[in-house]
Amino acid sequence: MKDTFKHQGLRQQLVNILKAKGITDINVLNAIGKIPRHLFMDSGFLDHAYQDKAFPIAADQTISQPYTVAFQSELLQVKKGDKILEIGTGSGYQTAVLCELGAKVFSIERQQELFKKTSKFLPKLGYRAKKLIFGDGYKGLVGEAPFDGVIVTAGAPFVPKPLLSQLKIGGRLVIPVGDDVQIMTMFIRKGQKEFEQEEFGEFRFVPLLEDKN
Ligand code: SAH
């Protein structure tokens, strides 16, 4: 597992691309500048790791496009020590970004192959999530709720109720909602039953699938 000057240079270029596309959160940009994205991808794709594109990983899934990761991370407004729930661990790249932002991360993945692979891989890079869970993200993680933030990294056909009810007051849910195309949507919990909702345009994700266990 190598990280070379070449990789670091490519990463800096990627950071500049993200800035040009409108990402301003310096902590998010620093995280992306630091994390060796090429190590999260299968070796055949090494040369592509620092393009602003999604790529295939195991189990027919994808590592999200860096812009999308940055955009969602920026919306979450993570503060050090925040308790964050991620749905769709996948390669663990977004998990690593959340760790760099100082979050206590809980992340759920429903593909066993990916869950196992990423559970082994992240600690090797020094990224220690509070907990990686093999399970169904539609249910959230009631035993660890409430969360300062919940981030869904797969396209949700609807907004799962547990994800809203597991937010702290003031907490944020960032979720792409839709079938073929998703609308990036943010909910901020204003009260027990009160949520503010804002939409941020179209994105494309692999689908958030129903439980298969
Ligand atoms: N954050 C990941 C994105 C992976 S793609 C990364 O940066 O690599 C979305 C992931 O969501 C896939 O790994 C997929 O298996 C997972 N997923 C789909 N439906 C799910 C569900 N119901 N619960 C948990 N994970 C789910």
Side-chain angles (χ1 to χ4, degrees):
M1 299 214 297
K2 268 211 224 150
D3 190 33
T4 64
F5 282 124
K6 183 179 166 210
H7 291 120
Q8 287 162 28
L10 290 171
R11 222 148 48 228
Q12 201 43 53
Q13 286 176 21
L14 173 61
V15 167
N16 292 337
I17 291 171
L18 298 181
K19 276 188 196 162
K21 288 186 175 176
I23 303 296
T24 56
D25 186 324
I26 190 68
N27 296 322
V28 170
L29 292 168
N30 285 344
I32 287 176
K34 205 166 157 190
I35 302 170
R37 186 173 189 256
H38 61 286
L39 300 180
F40 289 74
M41 299 166 49
D42 294 333
S43 54
F45 295 114
L46 274 184
D47 288 346
H48 303 287
Y50 296 106
Q51 294 181 11
D52 187 24
K53 285 186 182 160
F55 273 105
I57 52 174
D60 285 336
Q61 302 303 320
T62 56
I63 177 169
S64 300
Q65 183 181 344
Y67 175 72
T68 304
V69 172
F71 193 84
Q72 287 193 282
S73 302
E74 189 163 82
L75 285 181
L76 262 189
Q77 290 194 358
V78 179
K79 294 181 297 303
K80 273 212 169 67
D82 274 1
K83 215 171 166 182
I84 304 289
L85 175 65
E86 178 190 20
I87 310 300
T89 316
S91 69
Y93 183 72
Q94 172 75 68
T95 317
V97 170
L98 295 169
C99 289
E100 283 286 354
L101 294 174
K104 294 188 187 113
V105 188
F106 297 80
S107 184
I108 308 179
E109 173 57 55
R110 79 181 265 293
Q111 289 279 0
Q112 190 156 37
E113 179 188 352
L114 280 171
F115 165 73
K116 283 190 179 157
K117 190 172 170 188
T118 301
S119 300
K120 272 198 200 153
F121 171 70
L122 278 177
K124 281 191 196 158
L125 285 190
Y127 292 115
R128 284 171 215 290
K130 274 275 161 195
K131 214 172 187 186
L132 299 177
I133 299 112
F134 172 55
D136 177 19
Y138 275 94
K139 301 189 183 88
L141 197 62
V142 75
E144 295 290 348
F147 296 97
D148 296 288
V150 177
I151 175 171
V152 180
T153 69
F158 59 89
V159 181
K161 286 230 169 67
L163 302 186
L164 288 170
S165 64
Q166 291 174 22
L167 285 178
K168 286 183 191 171
I169 305 292
R172 298 172 164 226
L173 167 63
V174 176
I175 180 170
V177 187
D179 292 314
D180 298 334
V181 176
Q182 294 86 34
I183 306 293
M184 190 63 73
T185 311
M186 177 169 72
F187 294 87
I188 303 180
R189 188 168 202 171
K190 293 291 182 184
Q192 208 42 39
K193 292 197 169 160
E194 243 180 289
F195 294 87
E196 199 178 276
Q197 179 177 347
E198 211 179 322
E199 293 181 351
F200 298 89
E202 292 185 356
F203 287 80
R204 271 168 215 272
F205 286 79
V206 294
L208 186 69
L209 297 171
E210 298 285 351
D211 193 11
K212 65 170 184 179
N213 301 306

